[in-house]
Amino acid sequence: MGGKKNQLKIGVILNYLNLGLGNLIPVFYTPIMLSLLGQSEYGLYKLASNVTSYLSLISLGMGAAITRYLIKSREEEGKEAEQKMLGLFSMIFRAIALIVFIVGSVLTTILGIWYGDSLSSTELVKMKILVFILVCNMALSFMMTPQVSAVTAHEKFIFLQLMNIATTCIIPIANLIVLFFGFASIGMTISGLVLNLIVRICYLVYMRKVLQLKADYKGIPKGVLKEILGFSFWIFLANVVTQLYNATDTVMIGAIPELATVGVAIYNVGGVFNHIVFSLSQGISALLSPRISKMVFDGTDSSELTNFTIKTGRLQCYIVTLIITGFISFGRPFINFYAGDGYQDSYWVALFMMIPNMIPLAQSACLSTVIAQNKHRFRSIVYLFIAIVNIIGTWFMMKVMGIVGAALVTGLAVILGQGIVMNWYYHKRTVLNMFKFWKEVGKIYIIPAIMCAITLFISRYVNFYNIIALIVGIVVYTMIYCLLNWFMVMNDYEKNIFREPFKMIISKIKRR
């Protein structure tokens, strides 16, 4: 048990080191990448990525089921049952990988139907090459998904995060190398494919050599397949909705001649900042998801589950509020330095995406609880309905407000579906006490809201478009935020998360 706690603690530290690197590196990498690629080429690259991402739906949501059922089989029947379950999922995902490759190859040949009017003939040919390479990459990822999930199910967070850190550092370096040699977006996709292959092989070796785990294809539990499909269907429906939220705006923008690749580039720069907030806030919940599943399977009472989601939600909320209110305060000059001229609308795109997400991003542990309880059907249905409304609204708003209108409609859909409706469901249909949750978590929003309002007022008199003033402003904002929360908001548990590493370091120094 102590080993698992150490895995979790070190995993959390490594996770946030990875997230820090993952969000710091792009500050230096993205401007260079944009200047080497150009706005149109970058838009084409992102358009190809978003079109290809729809193929992820072919998995029918079973990726989310692997960890759950591996843990369930190990806890209930032992290692042999887990290996048979791994064999079942390995067969399933090999079939999925083959289907992805076939469907993706067909998709590559018919891209002209959607983008023949908005892209030039040269751009269309290049997009077909990009999509095909990305299809191969996705097929490879699906084929090796069970191995990655097995490592997660065994809570080997140190290895997981070390692999993530290596990937985070190597990808931008590899991309810049191929860009400097003039291989442009095609070179970036090829380098991504090669790196993905290396990473997946590392997971396979770790699973077999360290975990002593291998897929058993004899006597695989085919009888549980119906249960898995029933569980996964609602995950699949939720994935459809996520895909509609994350990629459809870009896909539709690329099909409009007046916007096309330039509009895609501007929209995606705004989306980068929303992704940063999402990745940082999900760092803790991704590691704790197996723990939540175990608590549910062990019959943990409702008050303990609620307290666990509050504990996780508060930690996520500190991160979310700092980044989002900081971006509201300094986002416009930051984008000017980050991406250069021509990306002013990216600020409003980011804003309309980020602010609504301040609610669901503090509640990812609630979602993990619902999935572990197998009560996510309602969420999937509601999200699908809201997503359809979002698509229709986005199409009309783009004609009125362009890419900013697309982001605005998406943000409103998030507030309605993931904010209002889901909080009602969490409280009424699960064991979670959402009144208590928001009583404890909601107070964290007060200080950053006040700080943001004051900073926006100060910006009328301070020129943050000066790089020195911008850096000083961000640093001072962050320091004041941390100090105010430390003395006025944080509880002992949250303070100890930061105290314990320093105590360990001081203790080791004294021993020497």
Side-chain angles (χ1 to χ4, degrees):
M1 187 68 180
K4 287 187 177 181
K5 285 186 176 180
N6 289 332
Q7 282 276 341
L8 182 59
K9 287 181 180 179
I10 298 173
V12 169
I13 294 170
L14 291 175
N15 180 68
Y16 275 96
L17 174 61
N18 177 50
L19 290 173
L21 290 170
N23 292 296
L24 181 62
I25 289 173
V27 173
F28 304 98
Y29 159 73
T30 302
I32 301 172
M33 183 266 290
L34 288 174
S35 65
L36 291 172
L37 270 183
Q39 195 175 54
S40 181
E41 179 89 359
Y42 173 69
L44 187 67
Y45 172 73
K46 297 305 295 185
L47 181 59
S49 299
N50 280 282
V51 168
T52 311
S53 66
Y54 280 90
L55 296 175
S56 65
L57 299 176
I58 293 175
S59 69
L60 300 177
M62 281 192 279
I66 301 177
T67 301
R68 181 183 191 273
Y69 280 92
L70 287 178
I71 292 173
K72 188 173 185 291
S73 59
R74 184 174 72 245
E75 292 290 314
E76 294 178 353
E77 301 177 61
K79 185 176 179 179
E80 289 186 6
E82 181 186 13
Q83 292 191 140
K84 290 178 180 179
M85 186 66 70
L86 181 61
L88 174 62
F89 278 113
S90 296
M91 292 178 64
I92 291 171
F93 275 85
R94 286 172 188 171
I96 290 172
L98 179 61
I99 295 171
V100 165
F101 181 77
I102 294 172
V103 174
S105 299
V106 174
L107 174 65
T108 302
T109 63
I110 61 174
L111 286 171
I113 295 175
W114 293 282
Y115 299 108
D117 294 333
S118 58
L119 301 179
S120 67
S121 57
T122 303
E123 287 177 327
L124 188 58
V125 169
K126 183 173 288 188
M127 184 174 174
K128 288 182 178 181
I129 296 172
L130 291 172
V131 168
F132 182 74
I133 299 171
L134 291 168
V135 165
C136 294
N137 200 355
M138 184 174 290
L140 171 65
S141 295
F142 275 131
M143 189 167 64
M144 303 295 287
T145 292
Q147 286 74 21
V148 179
S149 297
V151 177
T152 303
H154 281 261
E155 300 182 59
K156 299 300 181 182
F157 300 123
I158 295 176
F159 174 78
L160 284 166
Q161 295 308 319
L162 287 175
M163 290 300 299
N164 289 339
I165 289 171
T167 304
T168 297
C169 295
I170 293 172
I171 284 179
I173 294 172
N175 284 344
L176 288 180
I177 290 173
V178 298
L179 288 176
F180 276 120
F181 279 97
F183 294 108
S185 56
I186 293 176
M188 290 173 62
T189 54
I190 292 175
S191 68
L193 174 61
V194 172
L195 181 60
N196 190 29
L197 176 61
I198 295 171
V199 168
R200 301 290 167 164
I201 290 174
C202 290
Y203 273 103
L204 177 62
V205 172
Y206 185 88
M207 185 191 75
R208 291 185 175 178
K209 299 297 183 181
V210 179
L211 299 181
Q212 297 292 307
L213 191 68
K214 62 180 181 179
D216 184 355
Y217 300 102
K218 296 179 180 179
I220 57 175
K222 296 179 181 178
V224 78
L225 185 58
K226 182 178 179 181
E227 180 186 340
I228 292 173
L229 288 171
F231 172 86
S232 300
F233 174 77
W234 300 105
I235 300 290
F236 162 70
L237 202 57
N239 289 344
V240 170
V241 174
T242 300
Q243 188 64 30
L244 293 176
Y245 275 123
N246 294 341
T248 302
D249 286 2
T250 299
V251 170
M252 289 194 293
I253 290 169
I256 297 176
E258 295 81 7
L259 299 173
T261 55
V262 173
V264 171
I266 296 171
Y267 190 88
N268 274 277
V269 166
V272 164
F273 297 99
N274 185 54
H275 175 72
I276 289 173
V277 179
F278 183 86
S279 62
L280 287 173
S281 68
Q282 296 299 298
I284 297 175
S285 63
L287 295 175
L288 295 178
S289 182
R291 185 67 52 85
I292 293 173
S293 294
K294 285 186 177 181
M295 291 174 70
V296 171
F297 294 146
D298 292 340
T300 303
D301 63 50
S302 60
S303 61
E304 191 173 342
L305 276 172
T306 298
N307 289 336
F308 190 82
T309 59
I310 290 172
K311 188 183 295 184
T312 306
R314 282 177 61 90
L315 293 175
Q316 290 173 307
C317 199
Y318 287 120
I319 298 165
V320 169
T321 54
L322 171 60
I323 298 174
I324 293 180
T325 59
F327 182 83
I328 295 171
S329 302
F330 304 104
R332 275 177 286 192
F334 184 83
I335 285 178
N336 184 66
F337 289 109
Y338 177 83
D341 293 332
Y343 289 92
Q344 290 83 357
D345 282 346
S346 297
Y347 173 77
W348 297 106
V349 169
L351 224 59
F352 290 141
M353 288 182 174
M354 292 164 69
I355 293 176
N357 273 317
M358 293 178 77
I359 300 174
L361 287 180
Q363 296 182 292
S364 54
C366 300
L367 176 58
S368 296
T369 303
V370 169
I371 291 175
Q373 294 173 338
N374 201 6
K375 293 181 178 180
H376 49 285
R377 181 183 305 182
F378 175 82
R379 166 187 176 266
S380 301
I381 295 172
V382 170
Y383 279 25
L384 179 61
F385 174 75
I386 298 298
I388 293 171
V389 173
N390 174 47
I391 292 173
I392 297 171
T394 295
W395 182 256
F396 287 104
M397 284 299 291
M398 277 196 302
K399 298 179 180 180
V400 179
M401 299 175 62
I403 59 174
V404 175
L408 175 60
V409 173
T410 299
L412 292 174
V414 169
I415 292 173
L416 179 60
Q418 299 185 40
I420 298 171
V421 177
M422 281 311 298
N423 271 274
W424 171 84
Y425 183 72
Y426 290 144
H427 189 75
K428 292 291 185 180
R429 295 291 183 266
T430 71
V431 298
L432 302 176
N433 184 342
M434 299 314 297
F435 289 114
K436 183 179 180 181
F437 178 92
W438 282 114
K439 181 181 177 181
E440 296 298 323
V441 175
K443 62 183 71 173
I444 298 175
Y445 291 91
I446 298 173
I447 287 176
I450 295 172
M451 287 182 60
C452 180
I454 293 173
T455 306
L456 288 173
F457 177 77
I458 293 173
S459 66
R460 297 169 61 184
Y461 305 98
V462 178
N463 180 23
F464 288 118
Y465 284 87
N466 178 290
I467 186 65
I468 302 299
L470 178 62
I471 293 173
V472 170
I474 293 173
V475 171
V476 170
Y477 188 94
T478 303
M479 291 176 62
I480 293 174
Y481 176 91
C482 293
L483 289 171
L484 289 177
N485 277 287
W486 181 273
F487 290 108
M488 300 176 66
V489 183
M490 295 178 75
N491 56 41
D492 288 337
Y493 167 79
E494 293 156 359
K495 290 179 180 179
N496 284 334
I497 291 176
F498 298 95
R499 285 172 177 159
E500 287 184 4
F502 288 107
K503 288 180 179 178
M504 291 174 61
I505 294 171
I506 292 172
S507 177
K508 288 183 179 179
I509 292 174
K510 286 181 178 180
R511 289 175 186 173
R512 293 181 180 177

